[in-house]
Amino acid sequence: MRISQLFGKTLREDPADADTSSHRLLIKAGFINQLVSGVYSYLPLALRSLKKIETIIREEMNLAGAQEILLPTLQPEEIWKRSGRSVAFGETLFKLKDRRDRDLVLGPTHEEVITELVKGHIRSYRDLPVNLYQIQTKLRDEARPRAGLIRVREFAMKDAYSFHSTQEDLDKTYDGMVSAYQSIFSRCGLDVRAVDADSGAIGGKDSQEFILLTDTGEDEIVLCGSCDYAANMEKAQSNIERVIDDTKGGLKEVYTPGIKTIDALSKEFHVPQTKILKSVAYVADGALVLVMIRGDLDVNETKLVNYLGAQNIHIATDVELREEGLIPGFISPLGLEGVRVVGDHSVVSEVDVIVGANREDYHYTGARHGFDFTIAESIDLNRVQEGHECVECGGKLTINKGVEVGHVFKLGTKFSETFGATFLDSDGTEKPMVMGCYGIGVGRILGAAVESNHDDKGIVFPKAISPAQVIIVALNTDDATVDAAANLLYETLIGQGIEVIIDDRDESPGVKFADADLIGIPFRATISARSIKNGNTVEIKNRMDGNDQLIHLPLDDVGKIIEAVT
RNA sequence: CGGGGUGUAGCGCAGUGGGAGCGCGCCUGUUUUGGGAACAGGAGGUCGCGAGUUCGACCCUCGCCACCCCGACCA
């Protein structure tokens, strides 16, 4: 690969519309080009990285016993209606019609298609298990594409689907996929953490996300500082410190004009927020639900949705509250009738608390659970906060940002039952296949890798996914000796199977060095009039080191040069 | 979908009711060559699109579109 002929130029100035590091650098270094929102062209350097990532994925998937296939992008909407996911995906599903006015969708994922496929090919438990994967373009009309390759509408994804006769057999394959994923990410040179995840509306018991920790990530991850507990915020649990307090004031109604927030109550009464009961009203599938939670905590809406089994929830508007006779800012479970009340387990306490009075401008003080009010349904509904105690070991939890680069699910029989993907078991009975699914975002790995591997000069590629191992920077290209030496090294390294780029442009040294740093190839080999004069040498620099860390090697010792750049 | 912002040369940006500009990049030539060289000459525009106001609109008004950011959303 000669930079003089390379399609795709580096930019000298930062692109205006990119403010996350990976987005900015991938455009600036000439890797990607946006066509419309969330849709990119991949130029030669990017494609090289993507192919490397794909190769690593293929090798590990094959090793784990999965077989590669390729499924259609264009799919009949009918199968999406059958699975109920035409509605579930909603606007995210790209829809179109063919010339016969038939409804089609562009596949955002392939559970429906694969289940139909396998249904037609597997009849007996003897044919199971199978694990099929593909690397395919997926299309999702995301509400808001963002951050370059991190969240796009058209993207390459590796997805695998496994089919089993028993749950235990699924468990085995699932574990195998988890360890294959760990190999994939570690071979890519990325520090990816597996975390427990909520399995959402798709159902199924186990689910793990694979997260690359980076500050610009859009997912929140809870990690324990003392053990290996790791969970997605939606799923994370914690032990909440109990509040100990002996004061028993007795229930009193107090005039609190205009004091509607936990913060204001805390200041007014000079009490910690832990001694105030927060009332949060939701509308879940059309019905009002009051959620009670300790004042210092927030509601985890995913936990609430899962507990209620609701399709949709939203925080009740003031209008919706007044319709039910509730007074915004002064809501209370005391004396409330006809409204379902659920509580986070933090409300079950021995402590006197302040709570609304269901009356404009009044609160109660000295309210006690079990005496003045009782919340029958109390379960874990709170959002973990920084510093909470780990449920596994009692250590301190931290909240971290990250990018989801992989996700594995135990699907169970949801799809096989819907599509009639059954098999004849050894006992002669017909059973639905037990399924698992396993996804990895290929482009997203590239984006996330750059996000977590760069400095102020540019990208710093992990070796395994870099477009090349070494970039030869030839200075003084009009000097025939330099030119010949650089080209000889280029050809020799290619002959030895080293992936090498040569910057053979007639540019000033500053431009070449800056571009080499920007593109982020792990090793730079500089050949110049100076290095030739200096004992016919080449200067090797590791991209991760500072500029003064140079190794001088004789040009005729190719073995040493290869050793230095691999 | 709610809120905010931007749209002028390949990229980054300035601009005024009456001549469409600057920096970088690009082309030609000369001189340069170890951290984004210098000089000289040059090419490149539907000022997002459409209506309106005006003698005259890149500029004012209205409508539309696109893109970015925050939020909602993210099987």
Side-chain angles (χ1 to χ4, degrees):
Chain A
M1 188 174 262
R2 292 181 174 273
I3 295 209
S4 62
Q5 293 162 20
L6 178 66
F7 180 73
K9 274 199 190 321
T10 58
L11 301 178
R12 198 169 284 211
E13 291 181 79
D14 285 343
D17 275 346
D19 50 17
T20 54
S21 303
S22 62
H23 190 193
R24 176 174 55 85
L25 291 170
L26 287 168
I27 291 172
K28 198 176 180 184
F31 279 61
I32 59 173
N33 193 271
Q34 179 168 289
L35 181 63
V36 288
S37 183
V39 179
Y40 288 86
S41 299
Y42 301 91
L43 310 194
L45 290 172
L47 192 59
R48 278 208 178 192
S49 277
L50 292 172
K51 296 267 186 209
K52 293 203 162 190
I53 294 165
E54 289 182 6
T55 299
I56 291 170
I57 292 172
R58 281 199 174 89
E59 286 174 2
E60 294 296 330
M61 293 306 290
N62 292 343
L63 202 63
Q67 300 174 61
E68 185 168 6
I69 56 170
L70 187 59
L71 299 167
T73 296
L74 209 50
Q75 308 173 8
E77 191 188 7
E78 189 272 325
I79 57 177
W80 287 83
K81 287 191 169 148
R82 239 195 295 166
S83 68
R85 295 210 298 176
S86 187
V87 174
F89 265 90
E91 300 263 80
T92 304
L93 204 55
F94 277 108
K95 296 183 185 176
L96 68 158
K97 283 180 187 291
D98 68 13
R99 57 170 49 187
R100 293 177 196 83
D101 210 35
R102 248 192 288 259
D103 295 309
L104 299 171
V105 306
L106 300 175
T109 178
H110 287 76
E111 280 83 5
E112 284 80 359
V113 174
I114 191 94
T115 308
E116 279 284 79
L117 173 71
V118 169
K119 170 190 178 183
H121 283 75
I122 303 281
R123 295 307 322 146
S124 157
Y125 74 98
R126 291 171 195 264
D127 299 327
L128 294 172
V130 288
N131 189 0
L132 303 170
Y133 77 97
Q134 64 167 348
I135 296 175
Q136 163 73 284
T137 299
K138 310 257 177 174
L139 296 122
R140 297 182 189 179
D141 197 358
E142 294 288 349
R144 185 153 96 83
R146 55 176 292 274
L149 297 186
I150 303 298
R151 187 159 209 86
V152 289
R153 297 194 293 172
E154 175 177 315
F155 54 99
M157 184 168 170
K158 187 286 302 177
D159 53 329
Y161 305 91
S162 68
F163 297 81
H164 310 268
S165 52
T166 64
Q167 179 69 39
E168 295 68 44
D169 194 56
L170 167 63
D171 292 347
K172 237 189 325 186
T173 295
Y174 179 92
D175 291 345
M177 285 292 106
V178 168
S179 62
Y181 273 36
Q182 274 153 351
S183 302
I184 288 166
F185 295 122
S186 101
R187 282 184 61 189
C188 286
L190 301 174
D191 183 20
V192 171
R193 301 277 306 252
V195 310
D196 291 341
D198 180 71
S199 51
I202 204 162
K205 281 236 155 42
D206 290 314
S207 174
Q208 280 169 291
E209 284 180 357
F210 292 80
I211 304 285
L212 183 64
L213 296 178
T214 161
D215 287 340
T216 50
E218 53 186 1
D219 287 6
E220 282 188 303
I221 305 304
V222 176
L223 298 175
C224 177
S226 310
C227 73
D228 60 2
Y229 180 76
N232 182 311
M233 176 58 84
E234 294 177 340
K235 174 96 173 181
Q237 300 191 324
S238 61
N239 291 327
I240 294 157
E241 202 183 339
R242 292 200 86 87
V243 179
I244 311 292
D245 187 342
D246 291 334
T247 53
K248 299 278 185 286
L251 190 67
K252 259 187 255 161
E253 198 177 29
V254 183
Y255 183 52
T256 52
I259 298 177
K260 298 178 170 186
T261 63
I262 299 297
D263 201 39
L265 284 166
S266 171
K267 289 198 176 104
E268 176 72 14
F269 290 96
H270 304 287
V271 296
Q273 298 193 349
T274 50
K275 291 202 64 188
I276 303 167
L277 211 53
K278 188 190 286 187
S279 313
V280 192
Y282 285 89
V283 174
D285 294 344
L288 197 72
V289 177
L290 188 60
V291 179
M292 301 307 302
I293 192 164
R294 207 171 71 186
D296 61 313
L297 302 170
D298 294 313
V299 176
N300 179 326
E301 294 187 358
T302 304
K303 291 179 183 176
L304 182 63
V305 167
N306 287 346
Y307 177 69
L308 297 175
Q311 292 293 317
N312 280 298
I313 64 166
H314 67 265
I315 295 231
T317 61
D318 283 5
V319 173
E320 286 168 327
L321 290 174
R322 302 248 180 220
E323 278 171 4
E324 296 285 337
L326 292 170
I327 298 137
F330 305 93
I331 302 171
S332 176
L334 276 75
L336 187 66
E337 280 176 21
V339 174
R340 181 173 179 189
V341 182
V342 300
D344 176 60
H345 53 48
S346 62
V347 302
V348 181
S349 139
E350 307 286 300
V351 179
D352 280 13
V353 292
I354 297 170
V355 65
N358 278 334
R359 181 180 167 200
E360 192 90 39
D361 291 339
Y362 283 90
H363 280 83
Y364 287 115
T365 61
R368 289 187 64 191
H369 185 266
F371 294 86
D372 305 308
F373 67 99
T374 300
I375 293 162
E377 302 175 76
S378 77
I379 34 100
D380 173 33
L381 286 177
N382 67 80
R383 248 178 92 83
V384 172
Q385 294 173 353
E386 183 95 20
H388 277 179
E389 273 184 19
C390 174
V391 287
E392 301 281 342
C393 77
K396 286 234 188 270
L397 296 175
T398 58
I399 295 173
N400 307 269
K401 295 218 156 186
V403 175
E404 178 189 353
V405 289
H407 201 156
V408 294
F409 278 101
K410 290 183 185 172
L411 288 177
T413 55
K414 178 186 159 70
F415 286 93
S416 51
E417 284 178 27
T418 303
F419 288 92
T422 57
F423 67 98
L424 205 58
D425 208 348
S426 53
D427 61 8
T429 62
E430 189 96 352
K431 294 175 182 171
M433 299 178 208
V434 184
M435 294 172 57
C437 75
Y438 322 92
I440 290 183
V442 179
R444 193 179 264 194
I445 288 181
L446 177 57
V450 173
E451 198 61 53
S452 66
N453 296 280
H454 69 272
D455 60 20
D456 57 344
K457 291 198 178 74
I459 304 169
V460 184
F461 265 110
K463 284 184 197 176
I465 62 173
S466 173
Q469 292 314 109
V470 53
I471 179 166
I472 298 173
V473 174
L475 305 183
N476 323 102
T477 43
D478 53 351
D479 180 328
T481 321
V482 172
D483 192 51
N487 278 295
L488 179 62
L489 180 62
Y490 177 65
E491 300 296 343
T492 307
L493 290 179
I494 288 174
Q496 297 291 315
I498 307 289
E499 293 170 309
V500 51
I501 296 175
I502 183 167
D503 191 345
D504 54 346
R505 294 173 300 174
D506 181 21
E507 284 288 352
S508 71
V511 171
K512 294 188 175 190
F513 289 147
D515 278 347
D517 288 342
L518 178 60
I519 292 169
I521 306 300
F523 293 97
R524 187 183 85 195
T526 307
I527 298 178
S528 65
R530 186 201 284 179
S531 77
I532 296 291
K533 199 187 290 176
N534 181 22
N536 209 31
T537 57
V538 55
E539 295 162 6
I540 309 289
K541 185 183 96 67
N542 186 323
R543 175 69 179 86
M544 288 191 286
D545 300 336
N547 276 323
D548 44 350
Q549 305 279 319
L550 295 174
I551 305 168
H552 299 265
L553 293 175
L555 264 171
D556 53 14
D557 196 343
V558 177
K560 270 234 172 66
I561 293 172
I562 289 173
E563 196 180 313
V565 300
T566 47

